Amino acid sequence: MSSIDACLEGIARANERILAQPLDRRREHIRERTVRVIVPDLETAFDMRLTVDGLTDVTPGPLEASGSAQVRVTVTSDDLVALAEDRLDPAVALITRRLKVDATLSDMLRLRRVL
């Protein structure tokens, strides 16, 4: 099991990937969304906002805190770190149910283009 700090580093890596995209591409594909990454094995959720400026306001908190996030991602801590380090393919993680994304189809397609 990875730690909360390792998950925060993984989120920071994902943010670096987003910011590596040219600004015009980010403007084309990113619509501001609230995001909640649920990590059940750590009993933690990371709330954040996705904007053209990347992932902002990343805040860890307990699972019990209810959030009305527009995009909800559920993943174990080890898989979150593996995804961030490109050791786990997101498509494989989705197919094998190691990664669950609750979002509209258009949000999923947009996210796929920038990540």
Side-chain angles (χ1 to χ4, degrees), residues 13-73:
R13 282 192 189 113
N15 190 45
E16 289 170 7
R17 235 181 262 138
I18 292 167
L19 294 175
Q21 298 293 322
L23 183 57
D24 60 330
R25 182 176 169 92
R26 285 184 271 147
R27 283 188 177 135
E28 179 182 349
H29 296 294
I30 293 178
R31 299 294 177 258
E32 188 165 323
R33 295 288 184 255
T34 55
V35 179
R36 180 165 238 223
V37 178
I38 300 164
V39 185
D41 59 314
L42 295 179
E43 297 181 5
T44 302
F46 298 90
D47 293 308
M48 62 199 81
R49 288 179 348 153
L50 173 64
T51 70
V52 293
D53 296 320
L55 297 168
T56 62
D57 304 326
V58 178
T59 308
L63 285 178
E64 299 83 38
S66 63
S68 59
Q70 295 163 308
V71 176
R72 296 171 60 91
V73 177

